[in-house]
Amino acid sequence: MIQTIHEIQDPFDVKTPLGEGTALFLIAGSMHANPNFIVRLYESGDIRTFDQNDLKVYGNPMQGNGWDLEPKTNL
């Protein structure tokens, strides 16, 4: 099985079940599994891996797309 790790060139802010952080890397394990993200948590500095379904992505005001900056979440 081939696993691909991609360094995100423009890291983005995410909300996780463990707090807020920055997504740094994407891990694509296979076509049968969700991608995972390696995230640096702001509060603790810990590095954790999260399934894509466990993340909420913050909006970007520079895009002018009208997305809320704060994701609506139940995490």
Side-chain angles (χ1 to χ4, degrees):
M1 178 169 86
I2 297 174
Q3 188 174 48
T4 302
I5 299 175
H6 172 75
E7 180 180 3
I8 299 171
Q9 293 300 311
D10 190 13
F12 51 90
D13 298 324
V14 294
K15 184 175 274 193
T16 77
L18 299 178
E20 298 172 333
T22 301
L24 302 173
F25 296 92
L26 169 86
I27 302 171
S30 75
M31 60 187 266
H32 302 291
N34 289 335
N36 288 299
F37 288 87
I38 297 176
V39 175
R40 180 194 174 276
L41 299 173
Y42 293 142
E43 189 171 316
S44 64
D46 290 343
I47 302 291
R48 295 286 184 260
T49 303
F50 294 95
D51 183 271
Q52 73 172 6
N53 293 334
D54 294 330
L55 298 180
K56 297 289 183 185
V57 178
Y58 285 87
N60 183 345
M62 299 304 290
Q63 291 179 341
N65 55 16
W67 291 355
D68 291 334
L69 293 179
E70 177 76 17
K72 292 177 177 58
T73 179
N74 293 328
L75 293 178

